[in-house]
Amino acid sequence: MSTTLVVLIVLALGAAGYVLGRGRALREVNGDQRRLHSLPSYYGTNVAMKTVVPAMLLMGIWLLAQPLIVETSVRGDLQDEAERQNRSVSLMMSDVRRVANGLDVAVSQGVMTRERASNMRTEFTDVRERLGQAGVALGSDVTSAVLRAAQRYRAISGRADLLRTGVVLALALAGLAFGLRNSTAGYRARNVVESGIKILLILAACIAILTTIGIVLSLVFNTIEFFRLYPASEFFFSTTWSPSFGGGSELGIIPLLWGTLYISVIALIVAVPIGLFAAIYLSEYASKRTRAIAKPAIEILAGIPTIVYGLFALLTIGPLLLRVFGDQTVGWMDAGTAVMTAGLAMGIMLIPFVSSLSDDIINAVPQSMRDGSYGLGATQSETIRQVILPAALPGIVGAILLAASRAIGETMIVVLGAGAAARLSLNPFEAMTTVTAKIVSQLTGDSDFRSAEALVAFALGMTLFVVTLALNVAALYIVRKYREQYE
Amino acid sequence: MYDADQNRTENRVGQADIKIAAKNVQVYYGETHAIKDVSVDIEDRLVTAFIGPSGCGKSTFLRCLNRMNDTIPICRVEGDIHIDNEDIYDKRVDPVQLRAKVGMVFQKPNPFPKSIYDNVAYGPKIHGLAKNKSELDDIVERALRRGAIWDEVKDRLDAPGTGLSGGQQQRLCIARAVATEPEVLLMDEPCSALDPIATSQVEELIDELKQNYSVVIVTHSMQQAARVSQKTAFFHLGNLVEYDETEKIFTNPQDSRTESYITGRIG
Ligand SMILES: Nc1ncnc2c1ncn2[C@@H]1O[C@H](COP(=O)(O)OP(=O)(O)OP(=O)(O)O)[C@@H](O)[C@H]1O
Ligand SMILES: [Mg+2]
């Protein structure tokens, strides 16, 4: 039975449970709803919840765990064979998975009978060709060990699938029965549903947190792996970045961090004043109608994909800067790609970010503050400068820090606008590159994934993560402190 | 307190030195007609009280007198209001200048999220009232003393004004308003959050202010109106029902609605 079908059956059981639970509770009080502890729909929901949720949870966990368990049992068989062939077990394992999958496809398309798939031998059949007929392309010939392992894999999986279907359906039925038995007039279905909902929400929160932890851990482990291959002191303090996949690379992060910082600072110098002034205009001076038009118009900027800003940098800003600062005039700039180009494009990208957040923050300053200031005979700009901005300042700083962490993490604009040369220079018209751009280039070649040159990407990512995390924490801290002021 | 002033007050009522003259004032909030054809003459150098049930438009009318209603987009004011024979709704009048002259204490205390000192120094700094720091210090101290809060805050002038208690905040706002030396002071329920001691201190301040200024006070306390004011205006549902000398309003009201209100039958 396919997983989808099982899910549908469980859902159908849940729907039935809803109707039955509701009906049972109502019947017990002869339809007099007021004698029930909770509204009838709560009794229905209670039964449906008990039918569906545990069964689905079990199925989810089982589906995640099953391949792992099946693989460990098949893996044991492959151990000897792998040693003989001098191949790694995990590579063979992926062959096994592919063949097993291929057999599944072949059977489901009717190219092969079920028995044949379980019994055929490489000695008698060209498995690769047969699977090719079913549209499953294999990279190399299938050895007999792999085929046998694949067949065992299928057998175990098949048994496990059957068992899973049975257990899940049994659990759903048990939940249904249990829920129905409870559906008496005095049962506090409302409270049970309430706590059920709470548990559901907690689960969602846990998943969000666990995935984050997983990502961080994978970063950490790969970073540690990298530091085994490459000294940390060189990574953090060397001022050259010249990876070469033949060996003898220098992987100093300083030029990359410098580029990141330089571009971000230029971006913020562009975005903060423009964004902030736009926010002040929108929230304090603009009429309602202007605001209704201008605010969404500015926010549209935020919806433009960064690659488009990258193109804009490459095709418009770069040539423009080159005309102004290039060889024909002052000669500071040799090519369109430069820190300035990327910084300007990124600044434009960040304007709506700063303005929209600041606008919300300025609007959150209570009207009574403005009244107090106007009532003392202050002008509008005095009020803004001396009352509103100081009151909103922590929030605005928070917004700027959030914008900064976006600038630091930005990649596409840098790749297209700033060039690829890792360089430590003060001239903003020279090409430089950033941490993010280098992460991309270190992982997109066809390099050995276990080499220092590839693993450095994780160390770079980790550094970036720590920097942006620190910025975000600072921003959150400031924003939270600000919130307390009027409460 | 009231009796002692009575003679002098009555003398002055005779020669009626009009500070604010409002004629046929209408105020609308969008469609709501909040003030209906109110005409009132507020005299200089005495205290005028506005009384009336909640929602009758006292705050609204008060806010017309220094054009604070300009900050509410849906609010529309019609009619004439003259202060010192100058139409304050004239295009040439700068509302900012006007508000420096006509100070206001709001119904809800609204200290700035700044230090106590800066709260009070805000107005004097904007209007350049102090030549140097020590003069500014003097102005702040004097204002805080007049606001009856100096003793409580003199040791923590650098603490944030928002950290004070509700009543202290209200007195801080009073101090802030008097620090700019306005000619007219509009006070919207200045004592609603104050204990009896602070209330009597504020009333003393009002008494002192009326030597030089005219004071308009909104209050829900009949006793307070009787104690501090020389003239009283009774508002009801946006109408000015009765406006007369305080003593007359409280002893011999002309309108039955006024009588019911002050005796506690409507409101
Ligand atoms: N900003 C506003 N927008 C719309 N309507 C308003 C606004 N302010 C006041 N009103 C309306 O105007 C009328 C008068 O309100 P106002 O605040 O002047 O009453 P009040 O006499 O000061 O009452 P209270 O004694 O409770 O302070 C009320 O009906 C109120 O609903
Ligand atoms: Mg009011």
Side-chain angles (χ1 to χ4, degrees):
Chain A
M1 222 189 283
S2 79
T3 320
T4 330
L5 190 59
V6 176
V7 171
L8 286 179
I9 291 176
V10 170
L11 288 181
L13 280 176
Y18 181 90
V19 176
L20 288 175
R22 191 173 184 278
R24 197 189 135 115
L26 274 177
R27 219 169 320 112
E28 198 178 302
V29 292
N30 296 324
D32 183 3
Q33 195 174 315
R34 281 167 304 174
R35 280 169 52 210
L36 289 175
H37 171 271
S38 319
L39 289 177
S41 64
Y42 279 116
Y43 288 93
T45 313
N46 169 44
V47 178
M49 195 172 77
K50 284 182 175 151
T51 312
V52 175
V53 175
M56 287 309 196
L57 268 185
L58 178 74
M59 183 144 109
I61 295 170
W62 193 313
L63 280 175
L64 284 179
Q66 185 178 320
L68 295 181
I69 294 170
V70 174
E71 261 180 42
T72 28
S73 70
V74 174
R75 197 178 270 258
D77 300 352
L78 284 174
Q79 205 73 45
D80 298 343
E81 179 70 17
E83 261 163 42
R84 209 154 358 101
Q85 288 189 13
N86 207 4
R87 293 178 64 194
S88 86
V89 181
S90 37
L91 276 181
M92 280 184 78
M93 217 32 240
S94 63
D95 280 353
V96 169
R97 267 194 304 266
R98 226 169 298 142
V99 173
N101 251 331
L103 290 175
D104 283 343
V105 172
V107 169
S108 72
Q109 290 188 353
V111 180
M112 227 182 257
T113 62
R114 202 173 289 270
E115 291 74 43
R116 191 151 170 66
S118 329
N119 301 330
M120 75 185 163
R121 288 276 167 274
T122 43
E123 292 82 13
F124 310 121
T125 322
D126 185 349
V127 178
R128 190 174 169 198
E129 196 203 308
R130 290 298 301 270
L131 289 184
Q133 289 168 5
V136 180
L138 294 180
S140 59
D141 268 334
V142 179
T143 63
S144 69
V146 167
L147 180 62
R148 248 176 296 138
Q151 283 162 344
R152 222 170 97 70
Y153 186 99
R154 287 193 65 222
I156 300 177
S157 300
R159 250 177 287 144
D161 284 348
L162 203 64
L163 188 62
R164 186 183 67 225
T165 305
V167 172
V168 166
L169 289 183
L171 187 61
L173 284 172
L176 180 72
F178 177 64
L180 272 183
R181 220 192 48 173
N182 275 341
S183 300
T184 54
Y187 185 65
R188 303 183 175 190
R190 191 174 177 215
N191 306 29
V192 174
V193 170
E194 191 64 37
S195 43
I197 286 173
K198 193 172 96 186
I199 291 172
L200 218 68
L201 298 180
I202 292 175
L203 273 180
C206 286
I207 290 175
I209 293 169
L210 285 180
T211 42
T212 313
I213 293 178
I215 291 172
V216 172
L217 282 185
S218 100
L219 267 183
V220 168
F221 285 128
N222 283 300
T223 305
I224 293 173
E225 187 69 25
F226 167 70
F227 285 138
R228 262 200 216 113
L229 298 172
Y230 192 87
S233 60
E234 290 227 355
F235 173 71
F236 285 117
F237 300 115
S238 162
T239 55
T240 17
W241 172 269
S242 60
S244 71
F245 285 99
S249 329
E250 284 216 54
L251 302 173
I253 195 177
I254 289 181
L256 305 185
L257 269 184
W258 171 248
T260 300
L261 227 67
Y262 206 164
I263 293 176
S264 304
V265 165
I266 291 178
L268 289 178
I269 288 176
V270 173
V272 170
I274 297 180
L276 196 55
F277 291 166
I280 291 174
Y281 172 73
L282 282 183
S283 58
E284 296 293 318
Y285 289 92
S287 69
K288 245 196 179 133
R289 190 131 52 87
T290 321
R291 192 180 143 84
I293 298 168
K295 196 167 184 211
I298 292 179
E299 277 165 4
I300 284 176
L301 275 180
I304 299 175
T306 56
I307 186 79
V308 176
Y309 284 104
L311 290 177
F312 179 61
L314 187 69
L315 301 177
T316 311
I317 301 179
L320 198 74
L321 286 176
L322 198 58
R323 213 172 317 136
V324 180
F325 299 104
D327 285 334
Q328 267 106 44
T329 56
V330 283
W332 293 343
M333 202 170 174
D334 329 308
T337 50
V339 166
M340 200 51 135
T341 312
L344 288 180
M346 210 187 273
I348 296 169
M349 175 191 87
L350 291 179
I351 288 173
F353 208 69
V354 175
S355 79
S356 173
L357 277 174
S358 308
D359 179 59
D360 291 345
I361 288 158
I362 291 174
N363 268 323
V365 176
Q367 179 63 28
S368 65
M369 294 292 121
R370 298 182 179 88
D371 283 353
S373 174
Y374 296 143
L376 290 169
T379 64
Q380 201 159 10
S381 76
E382 281 164 350
T383 304
I384 291 166
R385 252 183 304 128
Q386 302 192 29
V387 176
I388 295 175
L389 284 187
L393 190 66
I396 292 172
V397 171
I400 292 172
L401 287 183
L402 285 179
S405 64
R406 271 205 68 173
I408 288 172
E410 178 48 43
T411 316
M412 275 343 287
I413 295 177
V414 178
V415 170
L416 291 176
R423 193 176 287 149
L424 257 178
S425 156
L426 277 176
N427 183 356
F429 296 101
E430 261 186 83
M432 278 180 222
T433 194
T434 63
V435 177
T436 49
K438 278 302 156 197
I439 292 179
V440 175
S441 65
Q442 288 312 103
L443 289 180
T444 44
D446 41 18
S447 58
D448 178 6
F449 197 64
R450 296 278 107 192
S451 69
E453 284 74 19
L455 280 173
V456 71
F458 290 99
L460 292 175
M462 189 73 203
T463 316
L464 213 54
F465 172 69
V466 171
V467 171
T468 40
L469 184 72
L471 276 178
N472 281 335
V473 168
L476 274 182
Y477 173 77
I478 292 170
V479 169
R480 192 162 306 154
K481 210 170 143 189
Y482 157 77
R483 276 210 194 110
E484 285 166 1
Q485 262 189 0
Y486 302 113
E487 276 166 9
Chain B
M1 203 184 299
Y2 177 67
D3 288 346
D5 287 334
Q6 201 157 346
N7 272 339
R8 217 181 46 202
T9 309
E10 268 168 6
N11 285 342
R12 220 173 319 107
V13 169
Q15 64 202 40
D17 188 0
I18 306 295
K19 184 75 179 174
I20 304 173
K23 265 196 210 69
N24 308 106
V25 176
Q26 319 274 352
V27 182
Y28 302 86
Y29 289 110
E31 294 297 297
T32 324
H33 196 173
I35 292 287
K36 296 164 191 154
D37 203 30
V38 168
S39 301
V40 69
D41 286 338
I42 291 167
E43 289 168 39
D44 202 6
R45 279 187 259 271
L46 54 72
V47 180
T48 307
F50 288 178
I51 59 171
S54 189
C56 66
K58 305 179 297 291
S59 302
T60 302
F61 188 69
L62 203 65
R63 290 166 63 97
C64 292
L65 302 181
N66 65 346
R67 291 186 61 174
M68 277 309 287
N69 283 329
D70 291 13
T71 63
I72 302 174
I74 58 164
C75 183
R76 207 168 70 219
V77 179
E78 286 171 9
D80 300 317
I81 300 176
H82 288 254
I83 293 185
D84 292 337
N85 295 320
E86 190 184 19
D87 183 0
I88 61 166
Y89 280 88
D90 193 278
K91 274 196 205 67
R92 280 165 307 188
V93 170
D94 177 7
V96 171
Q97 220 74 54
L98 173 73
R99 289 178 200 138
K101 194 163 108 175
V102 184
M104 180 153 201
V105 177
F106 294 83
Q107 186 164 359
K108 269 187 286 180
N110 56 350
F112 303 132
K114 298 170 176 291
S115 72
I116 293 170
Y117 182 95
D118 287 336
N119 260 286
V120 181
Y122 182 81
K125 269 189 195 158
I126 283 180
H127 301 298
L129 299 184
K131 280 199 280 299
N132 50 40
K133 176 81 170 90
S134 73
E135 250 186 63
L136 189 61
D137 288 348
D138 290 344
I139 291 177
V140 169
E141 180 177 341
R142 199 171 113 79
L144 286 170
R145 279 189 194 284
R146 294 170 91 185
I149 191 181
W150 171 253
D151 290 331
E152 283 155 79
V153 300
K154 62 171 183 269
D155 301 321
R156 47 170 174 155
L157 291 175
D158 291 329
T162 40
L164 296 173
S165 79
Q168 289 172 328
Q169 289 186 7
Q170 186 63 296
R171 280 176 284 154
L172 178 63
C173 292
I174 293 173
R176 189 174 72 182
V178 296
T180 48
E181 303 285 342
E183 292 174 27
V184 178
L185 188 60
L186 310 174
M187 303 176 101
D188 199 346
E189 296 183 36
C191 301
S192 57
L194 301 189
D195 62 53
I197 299 168
T199 301
S200 80
Q201 285 169 325
V202 170
E203 287 176 3
E204 256 167 55
L205 166 73
I206 294 172
D207 234 42
E208 175 202 326
L209 289 174
K210 83 163 192 278
Q211 312 298 323
N212 301 307
Y213 311 131
S214 91
V215 178
V216 183
I217 175 173
V218 172
T219 177
H220 279 296
S221 154
M222 300 302 127
Q223 290 84 353
Q224 182 170 53
R227 279 196 303 266
V228 301
S229 72
Q230 286 76 52
K231 298 205 84 173
T232 296
F234 171 64
F235 286 81
H236 187 242
L237 300 176
N239 297 301
L240 176 64
V241 174
E242 196 166 350
Y243 176 51
D244 214 326
E245 273 154 46
T246 302
E247 205 191 23
K248 229 167 145 195
I249 292 268
F250 282 102
T251 53
N252 185 20
Q254 302 299 306
D255 195 290
S256 60
R257 285 169 292 178
T258 319
E259 194 188 351
S260 335
Y261 182 71
I262 57 176
T263 53
R265 265 174 292 158
I266 58 168

